Amino acid sequence: MFDSKSLSKGMSRSMKLVFVTGGVVSSLGKGLTAASLGALLEEQGLRVGLQKFDPYLNVDPGTMSPFQHGEVYVLKDGAETDLDLGHYERFTNVALSRKHSVSSGQIYESVLKKERQGQYLGNTVQVIPHVTDEIKTRILSGANDDTDILITEIGGVVGDIEGLPFLEALRQLALDFGRTNVLFLHVTLIPFLKASSELKTKPSQQSVAKLREIGIQPDILVCRTERPLEKSIRQKLSLFCNVSVESVIEEKDVEISIYELPLCLHEEKLDQLVLAHFGMPYRPSNLDTWKTILHRICSPKFHVKIGVIGKYVELKDAYKSIYEALFHAGIANECTVEVKPIDAEWLEQHQADNGLSDLDGILVPGGFGTRGIDGKIMAIRYAREKGVPYLGICLGMQLAVIEFARHVADLPDATSTEFDAQTTTPVIGLMEEQKGNISKGASMRLGMMECNIVPHSLLEEVYQTNTIFERHRHRYEVNKQWCNLWTEKGLKIAGICRNLDVVEAVELEGHPWFVGVQYHPEFQSKPHAAHPLFKSFVQACIK
Ligand code: GLN
């Protein structure tokens, strides 16, 4: 039962569809390519939609380990999504919600629910048409009433068995919408072989052949490469992949920052190609915002080194939005922010003085479980005692309270019930609404909520307002039982959520800059609009 209403709605106002697929290997940067294309089309004054469809069976990535999936990116409405949605929000002005992050798990969940409700009227429920119809409906419902171009990224690599129903759905949409209203953009790898010193096109040829087998002819090939794509390579790709030579686009590894990418793809005329395909006018644009960002990145006046103490420091993607937010704060302060990822367990064995003495600032990000908490507490103690600027996010805030309780407020056994359910000093405890909740999926306090900043606090100075809206993802909270003691001893409650009567932020009196927040400011930072908290933190590190 393909929802033909959304189809005709999209067609009647001639919305255009761009599908982004990936070839050869995963982690090619499809998300960054899609986000950059979104940015380029917004520069053209178009209203763009961006969304990601992931073929895995988890309902959402909320339950996946950072080893498998990198960071879980949280949207305003509390959806736990793929980190590519973070790129979409950082590069463009799209307003994303739960409907923009869809997995096979969600597709099958709703098909099976409909089957149980008898909605298929006695038919045999099949991948084609029932699953593909569900995918098509979901793709089109990602558009708003005024979307001009809807960009949909398909996760995984062409050739994956689980991705097939998605590609089949795309093929059908091209038939429904008409080929000139649908553009297939295939991001592929052109590996460089050192031994023969040449770029190889065969893997890309084969991945395009796989697409064509299911009836999809890519219109544009975006080629990820370490070396420039010579004309002969472009011609070869054009011939074997059946795309015009102008539509073979080079996407070299960026040298300075991912924020170069819109400029690089513009240079390769990606925006012009897409608009020409749709028969839409192109107006010359000079991409000033992106040039300014790049200029600021390239001419820093300061340099700071910030230690991020975590459990997954070897993974580039586990703290993606935090690293990006620090980078944005660097741009805003004309400062290069060097991030030193420090393994919390390493710190436990080597002592704080050994690993932290060269740092201008310390950040403890969010996290779950007991592994590494002693190392993180050690780093927080170091920051507090030595006057090093400290930013604690979520778990990093909870541990700052525990550290303060143990070493300043004389509660040596203070801990969180997350680490010791039987503790007699639960300075951090399970939120009331979480008690008795056994489901692991989408069961935390999630999404954007109002927080109230306490007057005359550092936070008030930072935000320049007393009402803020920030995104959350946690189960535990500061136990109010001890709040008077904290205040008396110098840990100020700087933010609360009046609606839920919970603590949102703490800060240390008499310290140059020591803030812990229960929420996740990193999800609202952009390269041209650094989050005020990160901006102020980096400023303090410079001082
Ligand atoms: N584990 C803590 C909680 O659930 C912190 C969560 C986080 O840092 N995102 O409350």
Side-chain angles (χ1 to χ4, degrees), residues 234-250:
R234 294 185 194 236
Q235 283 166 337
K236 196 164 173 187
L237 282 161
S238 158
L239 181 67
F240 283 93
C241 301
N242 196 32
V243 297
S244 74
V245 73
E246 298 74 38
S247 303
V248 177
I249 297 264
E250 169 189 296

Side-chain angles (χ1 to χ4, degrees), residues 112-372:
L112 294 178
K113 200 161 137 213
K114 285 181 188 163
E115 186 274 335
R116 291 290 82 182
Q117 291 168 344
Q119 290 192 34
Y120 294 112
L121 307 175
N123 280 309
T124 308
V125 180
Q126 295 180 298
V127 172
I128 305 173
H130 304 102
V131 170
T132 47
D133 279 359
E134 186 68 30
I135 295 172
K136 287 163 69 180
T137 305
R138 296 280 190 115
I139 287 178
L140 294 180
S141 64
N144 295 329
D145 285 340
D146 60 355
T147 306
D148 296 313
I149 299 188
L150 179 63
I151 303 173
T152 306
E153 176 191 349
I154 307 297
V157 178
V158 167
D160 293 344
I161 290 178
E162 57 190 13
L164 280 173
F166 289 87
L167 298 178
E168 168 60 17
L170 305 192
R171 184 193 66 75
Q172 292 177 23
L173 278 174
L175 193 66
D176 298 333
F177 265 70
R179 203 54 188 83
T180 50
N181 295 317
V182 173
L183 182 140
F184 290 102
L185 186 152
H186 191 54
V187 184
T188 184
L189 176 73
I190 314 293
F192 177 76
L193 281 201
K194 269 211 192 92
S196 57
S197 185
E198 56 180 345
L199 289 169
K200 298 306 247 179
T201 64
K202 188 72 78 193
S204 295
Q205 291 176 34
Q206 292 191 333
S207 103
V208 170
K210 266 266 156 275
L211 272 178
R212 290 164 73 188
E213 216 170 83
I214 7 182
I216 293 177
Q217 167 62 55
D219 301 296
I220 295 179
L221 279 190
V222 172
C223 302
R224 295 284 291 106
T225 170
E226 294 168 35
R227 311 276 165 131
L229 278 193
E230 304 300 341
K231 193 153 177 226
S232 59
I233 297 281
R234 294 185 194 236
Q235 283 166 337
K236 196 164 173 187
L237 282 161
S238 158
L239 181 67
F240 283 93
C241 301
N242 196 32
V243 297
S244 74
V245 73
E246 298 74 38
S247 303
V248 177
I249 297 264
E250 169 189 296
E251 192 184 302
K252 270 224 320 270
D253 295 348
V254 285
E255 277 161 23
I256 304 161
S257 134
I258 53 171
Y259 301 113
E260 272 174 79
L261 205 50
L263 292 167
C264 299
L265 292 173
H266 172 70
E267 198 64 14
E268 286 280 303
K269 303 194 169 54
L270 178 64
D271 37 8
Q272 287 190 51
L273 275 169
V274 170
L275 294 176
H277 176 92
F278 291 138
M280 295 167 98
Y282 168 78
R283 30 175 236 224
S285 92
N286 47 17
L287 298 168
D288 281 341
T289 324
W290 297 98
K291 283 185 185 152
T292 310
I293 291 171
L294 211 63
H295 175 74
R296 290 184 76 106
I297 296 172
C298 293
S299 46
K301 293 204 182 94
F302 311 99
H303 173 271
V304 293
K305 194 178 203 176
I306 295 178
V308 173
I309 324 295
K311 271 200 303 193
Y312 305 102
V313 287
E314 73 280 25
L315 303 175
K316 234 173 67 240
D317 285 346
Y319 305 112
K320 187 96 202 158
S321 294
I322 296 216
Y323 293 165
E324 289 305 315
L326 286 171
F327 191 75
H328 304 160
I331 298 175
N333 284 299
E334 302 184 285
C335 172
T336 312
V337 177
E338 179 188 344
V339 171
K340 180 178 173 188
I342 299 172
D343 180 22
E345 287 175 295
W346 180 91
L347 212 55
E348 284 164 16
Q349 288 148 20
H350 294 82
Q351 299 304 313
D353 282 337
N354 292 327
L356 309 175
S357 54
D358 59 338
L359 300 176
D360 302 304
I362 292 176
L363 188 154
V364 174
F368 296 84
T370 50
R371 190 163 69 81

Side-chain angles (χ1 to χ4, degrees), residues 31-32 52 54 56 61 66 69-74 80-90 101 153 316-321:
L32 280 171
K52 178 149 190 204
D54 268 307
Y56 51 70
H69 198 268
E71 133 187 307
V72 173
Y73 186 80
V74 181
E80 296 173 276
T81 72
D82 187 86
L83 56 81
D84 278 327
L85 277 85
H87 294 312
Y88 302 167
E89 288 199 331
R90 288 188 280 269
S101 173
E153 176 191 349
K316 234 173 67 240
D317 285 346
Y319 305 112
K320 187 96 202 158
S321 294

